[in-house]
Amino acid sequence: MGRKSSIDRLDPEIKTYIQAMLASGGVTLDELIADLREKFPAAAQAAELPSRSAVGRYGQKLERRLLAIRASTEAAKLIQAHAGDDKDARSEALTAMVQTELFEAILALQEADEVGEDGDKADPGERVALLSKAAKNIATLTRSSINLKEFQAKVEEATRKKLLEEQRAKLEAMPNKGGVTADTKAAIREALGIV
């Protein structure tokens, strides 16, 4: 991978401040740069503060990550609030969140292919290692997703069988009066798929 961005190489206090300001979305890039110069004059004098374009690129990466985290968090909250877990809906949500993270990893991999601030391209060996790791994780996630779908299908089938048994028992317990004949019961059984 190429060099770390100039933001990642900053003093942790400055980096955290930049992240907080970008996450709040309350200032423009020019305002943020001016604020950094005012808040960290020693770093500004030593030319240790990042350029406007570096802050802009970092802000875009941070925004993509924040959007993915927000979406995953909201999905998890909705599922937890509305889904019973008889079909393992939480695992399905977790799988979706992991897929989001893998998507983020692929974005990072694409960014690794870009030319860094120092003009160097990412090391091809590191790129291959990242691709290999991503492929392994995708394969694991795919197996997990398939297993989850098989489990959900089994739960659906068991639920259907249980419902049919309950309907069969209620139908058998129904008296033959009030116009309900054996033929009517047979027609109901046929319509519901009760054998």
Side-chain angles (χ1 to χ4, degrees):
M1 229 184 243
R3 278 178 41 185
K4 286 184 176 182
S5 76
S6 58
I7 307 278
D8 289 327
R9 294 189 309 256
L10 286 173
D11 176 88
E13 180 185 6
I14 299 172
K15 180 180 175 184
T16 300
Y17 184 77
I18 291 171
Q19 289 172 334
M21 294 301 285
L22 288 171
S24 73
V27 294
T28 66
L29 287 177
D30 292 327
E31 291 170 338
L32 177 56
I33 296 297
D35 190 45
L36 284 171
R37 288 184 182 135
E38 184 180 309
K39 186 161 178 71
F40 303 101
Q45 193 169 20
E48 293 174 355
L49 292 179
S51 67
R52 183 182 188 283
S53 61
V55 173
R57 284 190 305 271
Y58 189 80
Q60 289 173 347
K61 290 178 194 176
L62 183 62
E63 182 62 23
R64 281 195 307 265
R65 290 185 179 115
L66 289 174
L67 285 173
I69 290 168
R70 284 184 202 123
S72 295
T73 302
E74 285 304 311
K77 285 180 183 176
L78 285 172
I79 288 168
Q80 185 175 13
H82 298 291
D85 213 19
D86 59 339
K87 287 180 61 180
D88 207 14
R90 290 185 191 124
S91 291
E92 189 170 17
L94 181 60
T95 299
M97 287 182 229
V98 171
Q99 287 171 333
T100 301
E101 288 300 315
L102 278 174
F103 178 73
E104 286 297 311
I106 290 170
L107 285 177
L109 183 62
Q110 288 172 342
E111 291 167 1
D113 195 34
E114 298 170 0
V115 175
E117 291 176 10
D118 59 357
D120 291 342
K121 248 187 132 134
D123 176 24
E126 288 185 38
R127 183 169 168 76
V128 169
L130 286 173
L131 281 171
S132 174
K133 186 175 181 183
K136 179 183 175 197
N137 289 334
I138 290 169
T140 300
L141 184 61
T142 302
R143 280 191 303 275
S144 170
S145 181
I146 290 168
N147 290 340
L148 178 60
K149 299 256 185 277
E150 288 173 355
F151 172 75
Q152 289 172 331
K154 287 177 184 176
V155 168
E156 285 178 13
E157 180 63 26
T159 303
R160 179 167 164 61
K161 284 181 181 178
K162 182 178 177 184
L163 179 63
L164 287 174
E165 287 299 321
E166 289 172 1
Q167 290 174 337
R168 180 183 297 120
K170 288 179 182 176
L171 193 57
E172 292 302 321
M174 185 182 287
N176 285 339
K177 57 184 178 177
V180 179
T181 64
D183 289 339
T184 304
K185 286 183 179 182
I188 292 171
R189 274 191 209 91
E190 185 177 337
L192 294 175
I194 300 172
V195 180

